[in-house]
Amino acid sequence: MEEGPRDRIVAAALRLLEEGGPDAVSTRAVSAAAGVQAPTIYRLFGDKQGLLDAVATQGFASYLAGKTAREPTDDPVRDLRDGWDQHVELGLAHPALYRLMYAGSVPDSPAAAAAVGVLGKHIGRIAEAGRLRVPEARAVALVRAVGEGTTLTLLGTPEEQRDPELATAAREAVIAAITTDAPALPDPGPVPAAAALRAALPEVDALSPAELGVLREWLDRITSAP
């Protein structure tokens, strides 16, 4: 199926971005590379920032496709490690696109939200296994903050000066902060147990919405306790 002008323009802008960074994505260069007139770009994207936002959205969509293609294993913490490594690899392989996706002025596109949702599912599986020591929302925020910060730090460091162990050390520090070891005893403690029950609430149909709300509040208070 032949690409339409919008797809050709986004693909051309992505090529120029990866070859020369955001400054290379000029209206003149993109229109020439995509085989369209400049007014077509303005009509479809409004301005250069609108075009860059579309490129970032396409980047998130491609990233999401790669993540969802991987089958989960029976170890959710291992899957989180693999997802972290995949994220860092994306940044190192496509630095200009990664900066645009995570440090540029990008709207909350459905693709970006879906990528965060995949991370949320990873964290939810850890909670269901009784291995999450903090609330799910905090775990997601920590993984995002440290993962994105670590990758941007690596990209901001000359390649020959990069610490090859930085991403692994950051990954293990976050995992240690948000997870417990695989429960060796029947009772892993109240916080992981509460987190596991909190993660399973969408499957509970024996309670009314009001009762579920109260239970959710109680479980959040347990998982948030010092």
Side-chain angles (χ1 to χ4, degrees):
M1 183 176 174
E2 186 178 353
E3 288 185 328
R6 181 183 180 87
D7 292 336
R8 294 203 310 274
I9 291 168
V10 171
L14 177 57
R15 288 196 301 271
L16 292 168
L17 175 73
E18 298 211 302
E19 291 169 2
D23 291 342
V25 188
S26 67
T27 302
R28 178 179 297 179
V30 173
S31 60
V36 300
Q37 298 296 316
T40 303
I41 296 177
Y42 291 113
R43 176 173 58 82
L44 292 174
F45 303 98
D47 55 16
K48 178 180 176 178
Q49 187 58 56
L51 175 57
L52 289 174
D53 288 346
V55 172
T57 296
Q58 178 59 43
F60 276 115
S62 299
Y63 176 48
L64 177 63
K67 274 187 166 291
T68 54
R70 294 192 176 191
E71 290 293 330
T73 70
D74 57 359
D75 183 347
V77 177
R78 173 186 169 186
D79 290 343
L80 180 60
R81 283 189 171 94
D82 290 344
W84 178 290
D85 293 344
Q86 183 184 10
H87 183 95
V88 175
E89 288 166 6
L90 168 71
L92 296 182
H94 305 280
L97 175 60
Y98 186 91
R99 288 191 181 96
L100 180 63
M101 290 167 60
Y102 290 99
S105 177
V106 182
D108 294 328
S109 69
V116 176
V118 170
L119 172 58
K121 289 180 180 178
H122 280 311
I123 298 300
R125 291 183 60 232
I126 295 172
E128 290 173 357
R131 297 185 60 186
L132 195 65
R133 68 166 75 242
V134 300
E136 289 182 52
R138 186 183 304 166
V140 170
L142 275 171
V143 172
R144 291 186 64 193
V146 180
E148 294 169 20
T150 298
T151 307
L152 289 170
T153 296
L154 288 171
L155 294 181
T157 304
E159 189 170 352
E160 67 278 7
Q161 297 178 19
R162 291 174 186 168
D163 178 356
E165 300 300 323
L166 179 64
T168 300
R171 181 192 70 196
E172 293 307 306
V174 171
I175 287 177
I178 67 174
T179 69
T180 65
D181 292 334
L185 299 175
D187 179 12
V191 173
L197 179 55
R198 174 68 169 77
L201 285 183
E203 301 176 17
V204 175
D205 56 10
L207 301 176
S208 70
E211 290 169 333
L212 283 172
V214 172
L215 180 55
R216 185 176 294 108
E217 180 182 351
W218 288 346
L219 294 173
D220 286 343
R221 287 167 62 183
I222 293 172
T223 57
S224 300

